[in-house]
Amino acid sequence: MSEFLPMIPELDCFSEHPNPPEIVPGDPARGWMDATASRFAYRCTPLAIANSSGWDILLPQNLSVHWNGGNEKTDLLVVGDDPNASVAHIAVSAFGHGVVTFHPGYLFRTSPGWALSVRGAPNTVKDGIAPLEGLVETDWLPFTFTMNWRMTRPGTVYFHKDEPFCFIQPVPHAALDQIKPRVHSFADDAKLKQSFDFWRNARADFNKRLSERDPDTVKEAWQRNYVKGVDPSGNYEPEFHLSKRRLNPVK
């Protein structure tokens, strides 16, 4: 895999205290994906790959977040399993406006030019609250960052022990400004146009046979070109393809 990158970036995690939250490779599974008919959501390989293309930081205990709709810091309350014990080292109301602030518990350091995308776990929906997202220059910062979520309406939201409250993914921050997107006509690449037309016609034919309940097509259920890394026209063979991903554990 290293041949596809100029360098393999480092990701070092310096714990702030003896028992920081656990960091684990992103889990490709999602409850709502499991619940779809025949688990069809997993047929979309990009979803599962996105779910596991980073590391989850897991909550060390159950928390409930209560917001009365006000903009003051005191209008939001974070309560743990033991209402008499402080949870300020895990989550607090630091900014007001219905924002709850989580402490990842680490100072992260990445290779020069690499930053951390910090957000909620991909393809995860939580009722009543939404994760905010940041891009943090962890190649030089000597201090920590926080993970913030914003309530979408007054009420109570529950976070459970071992639930991911933060998802981190290294990105080539310094290189992004060098990318120059271009718009082309298919006339600029006849071979690509041929492959696109082949795929489009094959997909239309497959869907037609599926709607007509053709037995062989129904048995096949769905086309697997993407998951197999196969160009149906045969014009291209990808140099790099993944249908599953499992990142290295944090040691």
Side-chain angles (χ1 to χ4, degrees):
M1 290 177 59
S2 60
E3 63 188 287
F4 299 99
L5 288 172
M7 61 178 254
I8 303 300
E10 295 181 352
L11 174 58
D12 296 315
C13 315
F14 296 87
S15 58
E16 289 189 85
H17 46 78
N19 296 300
E22 185 179 8
I23 306 176
V24 298
D27 188 346
R30 295 289 182 268
W32 71 266
M33 295 174 71
D34 292 335
T36 55
S38 301
R39 303 175 81 245
F40 77 85
Y42 290 104
R43 298 175 188 176
C44 182
T45 302
L47 281 180
I49 290 291
N51 294 348
S52 53
S53 291
W55 287 264
D56 289 324
I57 306 179
L58 307 182
L59 198 62
Q61 69 177 80
N62 297 322
L63 294 177
S64 59
V65 181
H66 312 271
W67 184 44
N68 65 15
N71 291 328
E72 301 301 320
K73 291 192 292 184
T74 53
D75 289 321
L76 185 142
L77 178 66
V78 182
V79 180
D81 285 341
D82 182 355
N84 297 315
S86 173
V87 295
H89 64 293
I90 302 173
V92 295
S93 176
F95 302 112
H97 298 276
V99 174
V100 57
T101 296
F102 288 87
H103 299 292
Y106 298 87
L107 187 153
F108 294 96
R109 183 55 54 90
T110 47
S111 300
W114 287 77
L116 280 187
S117 172
V118 180
R119 60 189 192 275
N123 300 310
T124 299
V125 178
K126 198 167 183 67
D127 187 37
I129 196 168
L132 304 182
E133 183 170 341
L135 187 64
V136 185
E137 294 182 349
T138 44
D139 56 347
W140 68 269
L141 282 182
F143 46 86
T144 59
F145 57 79
T146 59
M147 172 64 201
N148 297 285
W149 293 64
R150 189 175 188 276
M151 297 283 288
T152 58
R153 62 175 180 271
T156 298
V157 170
Y158 296 94
F159 286 85
H160 302 287
K161 184 180 185 298
D162 295 330
E163 177 181 348
F165 69 88
C166 183
F167 182 86
I168 57 173
Q169 181 184 55
V171 296
H173 183 35
L176 293 178
D177 297 308
Q178 307 305 313
I179 299 173
K180 299 178 180 179
R182 299 182 294 268
V183 176
H184 292 277
S185 165
F186 270 126
D188 297 333
D189 194 328
K191 193 173 182 180
L192 179 60
K193 179 61 162 61
Q194 182 185 31
S195 292
F196 173 74
D197 287 341
F198 188 99
W199 164 82
R200 181 172 56 183
N201 294 333
R203 184 172 181 84
D205 178 67
F206 182 88
N207 288 338
K208 180 176 181 292
R209 288 184 284 112
L210 192 63
S211 68
E212 294 171 349
R213 307 304 293 171
D214 172 71
D216 291 337
T217 308
V218 171
K219 183 178 180 180
E220 188 177 354
W222 56 291
Q223 293 173 296
R224 294 168 170 79
N225 297 317
Y226 191 107
V227 71
K228 292 179 179 178
V230 174
D231 169 17
S233 73
N235 282 335
Y236 293 93
E237 183 176 339
E239 296 182 24
F240 177 75
H241 169 70
L242 285 179
S243 59
K244 295 181 180 179
R245 163 168 277 154
R246 196 62 176 170
L247 299 183
N248 291 316
V250 176
K251 297 182 179 179

